[in-house]
Amino acid sequence: MIELTRVTKRYGDKAVVDDLSLTVARGAFFVLVGPSGSGKSTTLKMINRLVGIDAGAIAVDGRNVRDMPAEALRRGMGYVIQSIGLFPHWTVADNIATVPRLLRWPEARVRARVAELIALLQLDAAEVARKYPHELSGGQQQRIGVARALAADPGIVLMDEPFGALDPITRDALQGEIARIHAATEKTIVFVTHDMDEALRLGTEIAILDQGRLVQCGSPADILRSPANDFVRTFVGGADFGLRLLGVTRVRDRLRPNGALAGPPVSPDASLKEALSLMIASRRDALPVRDGAGRSLGAVHLADLARA
Amino acid sequence: MVSHVVSRVVRRVVPHVFPVPAMPADGPAMIRNRVLATLVALGVVGALAFGFVGFAPNRLLSGRPVALWDAVSAPVLWVVAAAWLALAAASLAPPGRGRDRLALVVGLGLVLALLAGAGEAATRLAATAPSPSARTSLGAGFWLMLFAAALAAVDALQRLAAGMALRALAILLVGAGALALAASGQLSELSLAKEYANRREVFLAELLRHVALVAGAVLVAVAVGVPLGLAAQRRPRTGGIVFGALNLLQTIPSIALFGLLIGPLSWLAAAVPALQDLGVRGIGATPALVALVLYSLLPVARNTQAGLASVSPAVVEAARGMGLTPGQILLGVEVPIALPVLISGLRIVTVQAIGLAVVAALIGAGGLGTFVFQGLGQNAVDLVLLGALATILLALAADLGFQFLLGLTRRSA
Ligand SMILES: Nc1ncnc2c1ncn2[C@@H]1O[C@H](COP(=O)(O)OP(=O)(O)OP(=O)(O)O)[C@@H](O)[C@H]1O
Ligand SMILES: [Mg+2]
């Protein structure tokens, strides 16, 4: 668990993080969003002490980070920076092995772990491990950056716009992978982005920052359904607002228990957005809902989607 | 001043000798390799229009030129002529590795043949000479042909996109061939060899002194310049002051700097006798070392700063974020990434110091410059040449060594 209590950071006279209090629960996928310059990166870097704080306190698992040696604190947290920052003079394998080696793992264990991560991030092992970062594509480099942060199996991973400069397809694939890793390992992830759709897709909890202050914090559905003020409304709104709302609501919340329908079945855990897409693609205004075992649970109707 | 010219030539030219830019291969329909054709023309002019060697009754008089065909025996003449013909043919041949390999082998062979020929000419002329003090020196024709043949080989290496290994092999082969010729006595009648023979022990001692002076200066410059460069990179304001001062030093002409140091150092030695026991004096090795270090500081500090600045801030932030200590970041991340730029700086500094150290002989520091200045004093051109040639070869060797090191760091980076 990470707790920020009334944290302030000033550069000159300007408070770039202003009286910020946040609680990141263990196992959360906590997303910090906000416009450029709102203090997201600064907040992330205060957690691993790359940036010092001027007031307030930050505690990790109940211990004030100031009471821990900075290097030890950082070795216990994964860190992915936006510009990737792979070491250009080391091979991919050596890059991934950075923290395990700092922690003096036995070499055999290091090598096994590197192989495991290369498989986890679906990088073909034999081909990639011995290459240097400049020989890789941007997407591969991003994956290595993530693998390097996960290498020593830290309980907490800090990620600063890790999929910033990627094409939509690679970005989508990497978002899927990180969601899968989070679900499988129950790590606590603090994730910075300024892309609202990325935040809604990945986050279990979203904090919206503006000019160094916390504007709203809650689950994706909370934020979409009851935005705290006009800033949040414009930030989460726009032309796609309705679709985003559909994206955070499950089919099981709009289930009608009526009889068997024809057409492609949809899972109760799918989002209403996926259901809508399927209705339009199959030219129907209702779809059968079936669970993983194929049992019929009812139907979802187009008319219900617009209901509050 | 000849010494100054020599040191300048060594400083300026040597680093550029190896990477001769390959010229575009297109040209008049017949001539496929213009560079080689030009070199052949140069060689032929050298052979026809200039003396191959000069012959003088003694070492102080300037000699009369002796043409190639009068100087060497028929077999040597044929070998040299055939070599130029082969190179001419290669310049007309369509591009291809075979053509370039031929040019390489012939160019290297010709260098050795010219050396052997000059040695033979000296032996033949000595046999006809009335007195044993007669001297045979290397003529303009020899130098032109040697230059053209060596460049033909370099051009071929360039066209073959030769790696470090092939380049080193070519240089080793020529070096070994030249040594073998010298050891066999083939060259011993040349005036250059006689000057060397007269000073064999002194030569080795002065060569070692030269190397020691340069190595000492470079080591001290690294010990001082690398931290200066580091400070300049960490604090830009410090950097402005450091580079301002070092730039100023760099603009002082070398002879003036050597002279300027005599006063303060003499005073220092007189004021602190303990320093005197360490060998600190107004003249000799101390001011030479100080001057060489002062000239070397700017390139070392500048390249250290540039190398460290070339490390992306993202890489340093990632390293910090992963829990590397500041020492681990400097030694494990920043220095290795900066190393190629650092080594390039050392390469410049070493080659420059080898040339500058020639001038240091003026203030009694010894080294290869001793021969240059003795030769100038005695009007003995071959003695000047002995010092200058040794300096150039030393600089080439150092340059090659650093290129090799650079190749190693590039491969691992
Ligand atoms: N080292 C620094 N010195 C002075 N000002 C800084 C420094 N680092 C950040 N700032 C300022 O603090 C503010 C917040 O910066 P921060 O990097 O946290 O923003 P961000 O929310 O991550 O923005 P972005 O989305 O553009 O990355 C900005 O106005 C920035 O200019
Ligand atoms: Mg940022």
Side-chain angles (χ1 to χ4, degrees):
Chain A
M1 194 170 77
I2 306 168
E3 267 185 300
L4 281 73
T5 316
R6 312 203 60 178
V7 171
T8 298
K9 173 71 198 174
R10 284 188 202 88
Y11 284 116
D13 288 340
K14 193 178 157 224
V16 297
V17 172
D18 193 2
D19 200 23
L20 178 69
S21 296
L22 288 176
T23 302
V24 179
R26 182 182 290 276
F29 198 124
F30 193 96
V31 182
L32 287 166
V33 277
S36 191
S38 55
K40 307 182 293 293
S41 298
T42 306
T43 303
L44 202 67
K45 288 181 205 172
M46 289 190 301
I47 296 174
N48 67 5
R49 286 186 54 190
L50 284 179
V51 167
I53 62 181
D54 293 322
I58 299 180
V60 172
D61 292 332
R63 281 184 71 191
N64 191 323
V65 293
R66 276 204 229 194
D67 299 337
M68 304 185 218
E71 278 83 25
L73 175 77
R74 292 170 190 154
R75 287 171 199 181
M77 287 182 187
Y79 181 48
V80 185
I81 73 170
Q82 178 179 7
S83 24
I84 312 174
L86 295 181
F87 302 128
H89 59 307
W90 288 354
T91 61
V92 164
D94 289 336
N95 263 283
I96 296 177
T98 306
V99 182
R101 290 214 171 111
L102 285 173
L103 296 173
R104 301 185 189 286
W105 286 16
E107 199 49 37
R109 186 170 163 214
V110 172
R111 241 172 284 139
R113 180 63 179 154
V114 168
E116 194 183 339
L117 281 162
I118 284 180
L120 185 69
L121 285 153
Q122 292 162 12
L123 293 150
D124 177 22
E127 195 199 337
V128 163
R130 271 189 301 271
K131 286 194 171 176
Y132 287 93
H134 71 266
E135 298 171 298
L136 303 177
S137 73
Q140 284 175 320
Q141 292 185 16
Q142 297 262 11
R143 281 167 209 246
I144 307 297
V146 173
R148 186 173 64 170
L150 297 173
D153 206 12
I156 296 172
V157 185
L158 310 176
M159 307 180 107
D160 194 348
E161 307 200 31
F163 313 136
L166 290 179
D167 65 276
I169 294 174
T170 313
R171 193 182 169 103
D172 185 70
L174 281 177
Q175 285 172 351
E177 276 165 35
I178 199 69
R180 189 167 49 80
I181 290 168
H182 176 251
T185 59
E186 299 187 328
K187 289 182 188 308
T188 307
I189 296 181
V190 185
F191 188 104
V192 166
T193 180
H194 53 235
D195 176 350
M196 197 62 208
D197 286 311
E198 187 168 71
L200 292 170
R201 171 172 181 189
L202 295 175
T204 57
E205 185 103 354
I206 295 176
I208 299 179
L209 298 185
D210 180 34
Q211 295 179 17
R213 292 212 190 86
L214 180 66
V215 185
Q216 188 172 6
C217 185
S219 71
D222 289 345
I223 286 177
L224 281 175
R225 293 207 188 98
S226 37
N229 59 22
D230 286 346
F231 173 79
V232 178
R233 210 164 286 125
T234 40
F235 199 72
V236 303
D240 287 340
F241 178 70
L243 288 176
R244 284 176 175 165
L245 208 50
L246 288 179
V248 300
T249 315
R250 310 277 126 207
V251 165
R252 70 164 73 253
D253 299 330
R254 293 289 186 280
L255 206 56
R256 278 199 213 175
N258 60 347
L261 281 175
V266 59
S267 146
D269 294 317
S271 71
L272 292 182
K273 191 172 160 185
E274 289 167 85
L276 176 66
S277 173
L278 203 56
M279 286 179 196
I280 293 169
S282 62
R283 299 172 189 285
R284 290 169 197 279
D285 55 11
L287 295 174
V289 178
R290 296 219 184 101
D291 65 10
R295 270 171 310 188
S296 172
L297 300 178
V300 58
H301 286 252
L302 181 60
D304 295 339
L305 298 191
R307 221 174 61 204
Chain B
M1 194 136 197
V2 175
S3 70
H4 209 67
V5 172
V6 168
S7 90
R8 275 222 140 111
V9 165
V10 172
R11 274 159 66 191
R12 296 268 158 75
V13 174
V14 162
H16 305 293
V17 166
F18 283 91
V20 167
M23 303 239 170
D26 52 282
M30 283 289 290
I31 298 175
R32 302 296 214 326
N33 180 345
R34 275 173 145 181
V35 177
L36 192 53
T38 313
L39 291 173
V40 170
L42 189 69
V44 172
V45 168
L48 298 181
F50 295 92
F52 183 61
V53 291
F55 184 65
N58 64 53
R59 72 189 278 253
L60 300 181
L61 293 180
S62 53
R64 70 179 161 83
V66 182
L68 178 63
W69 50 90
D70 291 329
V72 300
S73 63
V76 173
L77 187 61
W78 283 119
V79 166
V80 172
W84 285 120
L85 275 176
L87 288 177
S91 76
L92 301 179
R97 297 187 70 79
R99 176 193 83 174
D100 297 332
R101 286 206 189 103
L102 176 75
L104 176 61
V105 172
V106 173
L108 294 178
L110 186 50
V111 167
L112 290 176
L114 289 169
L115 262 180
E120 187 203 45
T123 312
R124 282 161 54 113
L125 287 166
T128 66
S131 113
S133 64
R135 291 297 178 116
T136 306
S137 54
L138 299 165
F142 169 84
W143 288 116
L144 275 177
M145 282 194 280
L146 188 79
F147 180 70
L151 279 190
V154 171
D155 174 60
L157 280 173
Q158 205 78 13
R159 282 170 199 273
L160 287 167
M164 215 54 223
L166 185 55
R167 278 164 200 260
L169 184 69
I171 288 167
L172 282 180
L173 277 180
V174 171
L179 278 181
L181 281 175
S184 72
Q186 172 85 12
L187 309 178
S188 54
E189 286 299 328
L190 277 172
S191 135
L192 194 62
K194 287 191 169 171
E195 296 289 358
Y196 169 72
N198 286 341
R199 292 174 178 74
R200 200 183 310 254
E201 285 92 52
V202 198
F203 182 84
L204 190 65
E206 297 296 0
L207 176 68
L208 289 178
R209 243 179 116 80
H210 203 99
V211 171
L213 201 56
V214 169
V218 171
L219 280 180
V220 175
V222 167
V224 180
V226 169
L228 278 180
L230 180 66
Q233 191 261 333
R234 294 293 198 247
R235 259 172 268 123
R237 207 177 301 165
T238 314
I241 299 168
V242 167
F243 290 129
L246 294 183
N247 265 321
L248 199 72
L249 279 176
Q250 207 77 8
T251 59
I252 306 175
S254 53
I255 299 215
L257 184 57
F258 284 121
L260 279 175
L261 285 168
I262 295 177
L265 284 174
S266 308
W267 177 81
L268 206 64
V272 189
L275 283 177
Q276 219 162 10
D277 298 338
L278 285 173
V280 173
R281 277 181 205 92
I283 57 168
T286 314
L289 196 71
V290 172
L292 290 181
V293 168
L294 290 181
Y295 279 123
S296 305
L297 278 179
L298 180 66
V300 170
R302 177 71 75 203
N303 282 51
T304 304
Q305 188 265 344
L308 291 174
S310 75
V311 181
S312 132
V315 168
V316 176
E317 194 196 315
R320 284 215 308 142
M322 263 175 299
L324 275 76
T325 62
Q328 287 170 329
I329 295 175
L330 182 67
L331 296 179
V333 177
E334 295 180 278
V335 168
I337 295 175
L339 207 56
V341 183
L342 251 165
I343 292 179
S344 307
L346 289 188
R347 178 181 168 198
I348 297 170
V349 155
T350 306
V351 170
Q352 168 183 284
I354 289 173
L356 274 176
V358 170
V359 187
L362 266 188
I363 49 166
L368 294 169
T370 314
F371 304 117
V372 174
F373 291 108
Q374 271 179 18
L376 284 173
Q378 301 171 5
N379 204 15
V381 177
D382 284 305
L383 190 50
V384 176
L385 201 60
L386 181 66
L389 265 184
T391 309
I392 291 173
L393 289 179
L394 194 59
L396 282 176
D399 190 53
L400 208 70
F402 278 108
Q403 280 198 47
F404 184 70
L405 266 183
L406 216 52
L408 285 186
T409 61
R410 291 250 162 79
R411 195 166 309 158
S412 67

